[in-house]
Amino acid sequence: MAVKCESSPMHATSSGVLQGDNPLHYALPLAIVQICLVLVLTRVLAYILRPLRQPRVVAEIIGGILLGPSALGRNEKYLNAIFPKSSLTVLDTLANLGLLFFLFLVGTELDPRSLRRTGKKALSIALAGITLPFVLGIGTSFALRATIAEGVNQGPFLVFMGVALSITAFPVLARILAELKLLTTDVGRMAMSAAAVNDVAAWILLALAIALSGSGSPIISLWVLLCGTGFVLICIFTAPLIFNWMARQCSEGEPVNELYVCATLAIVLAAGFVTDAIGIHALFGAFVVGVLVPKDGPFAGALVEKVEDLVSGLFLPLYFVSSGLKTNVATIQGAQSWGLLALVITTSCFGKIVGTVFVSLMCKLSLQESLALGFLMNTKGLVELIVLNIGKDKGVLNDQIFAIMVLMALFTTFMTTPIVIAIYKPAKMAVTEYKHRTIMRKDTSKAQLRILTCFHGTRNIPTLINLIEASRGTEKKEGLRVYAMHLLELTERSSAILMVHKARKNGLPFWNKGQVGESNQVIVAFETFGQLSKVSIRPTTAISAMTSMHEDIIASAERKRVSMIILPFHKHQRIDGHFETTRADLRLVNRRVLQHAPCSVSILIDRGLGGACHVSASEVDYSVLVLFFGGQDDREALAYGMRMAEHPGITLTAVRFVTDPEVVGLTVHVDIIDDSGPEAELTDEEFLADLKQKSSGDGSIIFEEITVKDATETIEAIRAYKKVNLFLVGRMSEGQLVSTFDTRTDCPELGPLGNLLISPEFSTTASVLVVQKYRSELSQDSLSTLKEGASAKGDDDETEI
């Protein structure tokens, strides 16, 4: 009798095509082809789905299904060439190794302390979002066992179905909330708290399901659960001691010792081995270790930075392909199967949405907020696929049920974003209610001045605080209120979810005071300044992609009714005095804010106003110079300067440049100004008359008028002012003199004077604030400098008369 021999395992590497070897018959080159194919397809799908604002996990699930037997896999030649059965062990091993470390990252994002602080509302919503779907999942399992799941082990099948329908994907939900700009809303905070509780409960239930699915003997299942519980307890008592010791060895601002990172990754692998040996799953051990890693300090950040890019970008998509190769939509045939798919989707949505909405209404949330929470909590994702894959590997789910459940997860995740956008629209402030949109106003002694300052990191904090100190005016007024907005970029990296914790409380203290990282430096600086001055400081945060960050800034400015937005310049000064670009896309953010802002806007070019630390009010000794040529922006800059001059430590020098009568009339600058606004607009002469009256007082305001013939004389006159700490200039100054400036530059949004003051030819150590006054519609000249790809124009574009 002939014995059929199994095919020999693949060798790792080939000898090359020239020696007659087919690279696709060897493990390493085949794995490279598979990884490249997966990355290209999933990234293309993610780009296609981006206008629909879908999380990347949706594109990866669809990509996995397309590469499997449901679509491209119908071609046997393709399937045998690219994904032969002999390669699946290598593919599954790589996918599960990547998933192991990804679950470790998910664990690092869950803070047990935040779970203890979870409010009653969030806890009630989480329990309702688990209980009702779990019960309905058990009910659905009976219908499935009676039709397409005959013969499966009843106990494990009931628990797997209950877990699969009751899961909320914490990482995917955080991504959706960030995309929809709901992280800092009440609904977003409630959803994140409830999802965190749901995530932990799902892992406990999953461990139970795995234990029950291992053997028919209840005694063995009991031993598996007891051993798993013992493992968790040992980790709770030992792992924090090790990790906290490592964290204490890592100093802020210095690189983390590679030995500690390697030791932590080895602990993750060892924990995965132990839980796999117990009979639960290797992923469970990695998740537990991640939860126990300290969340504060540079140690956790270094771990995430070392692991996430390779895991999330390279290995994790392989897991979706591994799932897609097990998913065959063709197994769903006939009215019965499609009816069961509709039943599973309906049951899943009904349980999550109805349970969450009912409890939310009982907690006195509005119907709109309750519905939004219901659909948000219905988000599935990677954790759902993990449950399904484990069930498939354990023999609890057959091919048809597996395909049905994968499609259910895809459908519920895909529908979340469009439905939430449709039903939940946070109320926006009516524009007509917003009065004080500029620094310049008729009566400056009554209304409180509100300013929104934006920053990306700690680099500009000292200058920003010193600028706020200079802007606080006199104590007789209602004072100054500053909203300090930390702009955090939302990226595809999993660590973006860590930013959620910084935004859990949008305001003081939205940073954890126990942290010692960059965020703590920021909050300590602002808190200290707030205690030492009469200024009301309210830190806030915005988490957005760079393409939509301007929307957060504009919406916050309108909501807070601020009079001015202060933006950081997209370049920073090197030691040699030259500027280099920090990030090019920051310039686009600034341009879009300038174009669409509901109030005045200024760009701060930081050269170290007051040094590298906060200067106390009694020690402030600044010289502020306003260059006045004419126009609305110059008047707004001068109004801001007059506000600063009220500070006892600041001297304001306002210099008006007048064209020599001999050259007047040769050139006329044509600029149509829209003076429509909330208050009547003063002319230059009327505004300067008020300034001259104040300049004759205590000497804090000095007014000078200089007559010049051309741009060269103007620049020389400006250079004569040596002892200046801060220049205040209008963005689009008006008049004949400005029109003669050579303004060809890569930063047209700064206007002619701003570009002059940052040019290498103009040597100064003074910071610069370029001011644009709010008006309902910007002039064509102003708009032309804000278009993407625009370069500033020279005097060739002026109208000669």
Side-chain angles (χ1 to χ4, degrees), residues 30 344 477 629 659 665:
L30 180 58
V344 169
K477 301 182 180 182
F629 291 83
T659 308

Side-chain angles (χ1 to χ4, degrees), residues 148-379:
I148 61 175
E150 296 178 0
V152 299
N153 194 340
Q154 181 175 355
F157 185 60
L158 296 181
V159 180
F160 265 103
M161 287 299 298
V163 173
L165 266 64
S166 60
I167 280 176
T168 296
F170 176 82
V172 179
L173 176 62
R175 168 68 54 183
I176 290 174
L177 288 171
E179 291 284 351
L180 299 182
K181 303 186 184 303
L182 297 178
L183 274 176
T184 56
T185 64
D186 291 338
V187 168
R189 289 193 291 269
M190 193 78 69
M192 288 305 300
S193 298
V197 175
N198 192 304
D199 221 27
V200 173
W203 280 101
I204 296 172
L205 292 172
L206 179 58
L208 172 65
I210 295 171
L212 293 174
S213 65
S215 171
S217 172
I219 296 178
I220 295 178
S221 297
L222 179 61
W223 272 111
V224 170
L225 282 174
L226 290 176
C227 290
T229 305
F231 166 79
V232 173
L233 291 175
I234 291 173
C235 287
I236 289 174
F237 287 110
T238 60
L241 297 175
I242 299 171
F243 290 136
N244 287 330
W245 179 84
M246 291 182 182
R248 286 194 297 270
Q249 309 307 310
C250 303
S251 302
E252 183 68 35
E254 295 184 7
V256 174
N257 193 323
E258 187 181 357
L259 177 63
Y260 300 142
V261 176
C262 292
T264 304
L265 299 183
I267 291 172
V268 173
L269 293 172
F273 174 81
V274 171
T275 50
D276 187 79
I278 290 172
I280 301 179
H281 199 283
L283 304 179
F284 188 77
F287 177 77
V288 171
V289 172
V291 171
L292 297 175
V293 168
K295 307 299 185 284
D296 306 332
F299 180 62
L303 283 175
V304 172
E305 186 179 352
K306 299 284 186 184
V307 176
E308 64 181 349
D309 285 339
L310 184 65
V311 170
S312 302
L314 197 63
F315 289 122
L316 196 59
L318 296 181
Y319 190 77
F320 294 97
V321 174
S322 179
S323 301
L325 293 173
K326 301 172 189 174
T327 307
N328 190 355
V329 179
T331 58
I332 307 175
Q333 295 178 346
Q336 184 189 65
S337 295
W338 287 104
L340 290 171
L341 173 61
L343 174 66
V344 169
I345 293 175
T346 304
T347 306
S348 173
C349 295
F350 182 85
K352 272 288 185 185
I353 297 169
V354 172
T356 302
V357 169
F358 178 76
V359 175
S360 300
L361 291 173
M362 295 291 289
C363 294
K364 297 183 180 180
L365 269 69
S366 68
L367 178 61
Q368 186 187 39
E369 292 174 329
S370 301
L371 285 172
L373 266 177
F375 282 100
L376 286 168
M377 294 298 290
N378 195 37
T379 302

Side-chain angles (χ1 to χ4, degrees), residues 62 143 184 220 294 331 347 381 427 465 593 658 660 775:
I62 294 175
T184 56
I220 295 178
T331 58
T347 306
I465 289 181
V593 174
V658 180
D660 192 312
R775 39 199 179 271

